[in-house]
Amino acid sequence: MAEPAALGGEQAGVKSARRTVELLETFAAEDAWLSLSDLHARTGFPRSSLHGLLRTLYEAGWLEADPATARYRLGVQALICGTAYLDRDPAIPYATEALESVRERTGFTAHYARRNSAEVVYLETRESRNSTHLVSRVGRTLPAYATALGKALLAELTPEEVAGLLPGELPALTPRTITDLDDLLAECELTRERGFASETEEGTPGVRCVAAVVPYRIPATDAMSCSIPVGQVTDDEAMRVGELLAETAAELGRQLRRAGIR
């Protein structure tokens, strides 16, 4: 008779852990402070469960609280754990050096990102000294289909894999975002032919980007990009930046493989 009780306790623990993860992800997706009522509406969790989870996360430093409004937001512990991920990634020091080289040679902001399912996560950025657009920050995610970084990484997959990865509808981030799967697959094919991806104001108004994969894994999981303010370069100049980026990313991939990083 003891076994069912033990299993029941284990299931309850797993359920609580899942709710904790979902709650943290809810905070991560919101810019505003959230109340218990806000969280109940977003998650559907019982208010009694939310009370306990919020108290536990607050006491552990994962949440901050505003006593005047009884609202919460992510706490410093979330940053500490996120930074630990980057600190332990052996590819990042090499990537940082490559980004600095690209920024110095082009004058534009350079990014390093990794695909996480259907999104790209920005892991490192080197801002141009003349940057006027906040394109990304470390830890930010964007849909892969709406970025040059994402297109470069999706081009590593088969059409069937891309279709299975993305939602049935591709919501537009800007009026220029590609929202048709066939058009996206055509972009992936073009990316494979020329060796780098390109987009203009598909992810961020006023910004065009070029990106190339870092070939140290198969299929590639990481990519580098340059963000270029619209109007500062011609199409031909942007293509030359893309070619430089592809060369730099290829060399970075060789360095990582020589170092035994996979």
Side-chain angles (χ1 to χ4, degrees):
M1 296 299 293
E3 185 175 349
L7 288 174
E10 182 180 352
Q11 290 169 353
V14 170
K15 184 176 182 180
S16 178
R18 288 175 176 167
R19 283 181 171 176
T20 301
V21 171
E22 186 171 338
L23 195 58
L24 289 172
E25 290 176 342
T26 300
F27 278 107
E30 298 285 344
D31 292 331
W33 292 76
L34 298 175
S35 67
L36 186 145
S37 295
D38 295 330
L39 294 164
H40 175 68
R42 285 165 172 76
T43 66
F45 297 163
R47 291 174 182 269
S48 58
S49 297
L50 283 171
H51 273 295
L53 291 172
L54 290 171
R55 183 177 62 252
T56 299
L57 289 170
Y58 171 72
E59 291 173 351
W62 283 88
L63 295 180
E64 294 178 351
D66 181 357
T69 63
R71 294 175 184 271
Y72 299 83
R73 68 179 180 185
L74 283 179
V76 70
Q77 191 65 31
L79 175 62
I80 292 171
C81 284
T83 302
Y85 174 85
L86 295 176
D87 290 343
R88 289 159 177 75
D89 191 317
I92 296 301
Y94 295 88
T96 299
E97 184 177 344
L99 292 179
E100 291 174 349
S101 172
V102 168
R103 180 183 61 180
E104 293 304 314
R105 295 177 68 182
T106 67
F108 300 121
T109 298
H111 309 286
Y112 190 84
R114 181 165 294 156
R115 183 173 67 82
N116 179 38
S117 187
E119 296 182 321
V120 290
V121 183
Y122 288 82
L123 302 182
E124 189 62 275
T125 292
R126 284 296 179 268
E127 286 283 338
S128 162
R129 293 181 180 84
N130 301 318
S131 176
T132 57
H133 296 81
L134 181 59
V135 177
S136 73
R137 57 187 179 274
V138 173
R140 185 187 183 191
T141 62
L142 285 174
Y145 65 84
T147 65
L149 285 162
K151 288 182 188 178
L153 290 165
L154 291 176
E156 293 283 293
L157 307 178
T158 67
E160 293 76 19
E161 288 172 330
V162 173
L165 192 65
L166 299 177
E169 296 183 3
L170 305 179
L173 273 64
T174 76
R176 301 195 64 170
T177 304
I178 291 178
T179 58
D180 180 80
L181 180 60
D182 289 337
D183 291 342
L184 177 64
L185 293 175
E187 281 285 308
C188 289
E189 178 61 29
L190 180 58
T191 295
R192 286 189 288 270
E193 291 175 358
R194 69 186 171 199
F196 61 91
S198 177
E199 60 92 355
T200 302
E201 297 186 287
E202 293 179 34
T204 304
V207 177
R208 69 187 301 169
C209 294
V210 289
V213 298
V214 180
Y216 73 109
R217 293 171 174 161
I218 300 174
T221 59
D222 300 2
M224 297 175 60
S225 75
C226 268
S227 295
I228 307 168
V230 170
Q232 286 198 11
V233 296
T234 64
D235 289 344
D236 287 343
E237 289 170 337
M239 293 303 101
R240 285 195 286 274
V241 173
E243 291 167 355
L244 169 64
L245 197 63
E247 293 172 3
T248 304
E251 175 56 29
L252 175 57
R254 287 190 288 269
Q255 290 178 352
L256 294 175
R257 292 194 302 273
R258 285 196 296 267
I261 299 171
R262 292 290 186 270

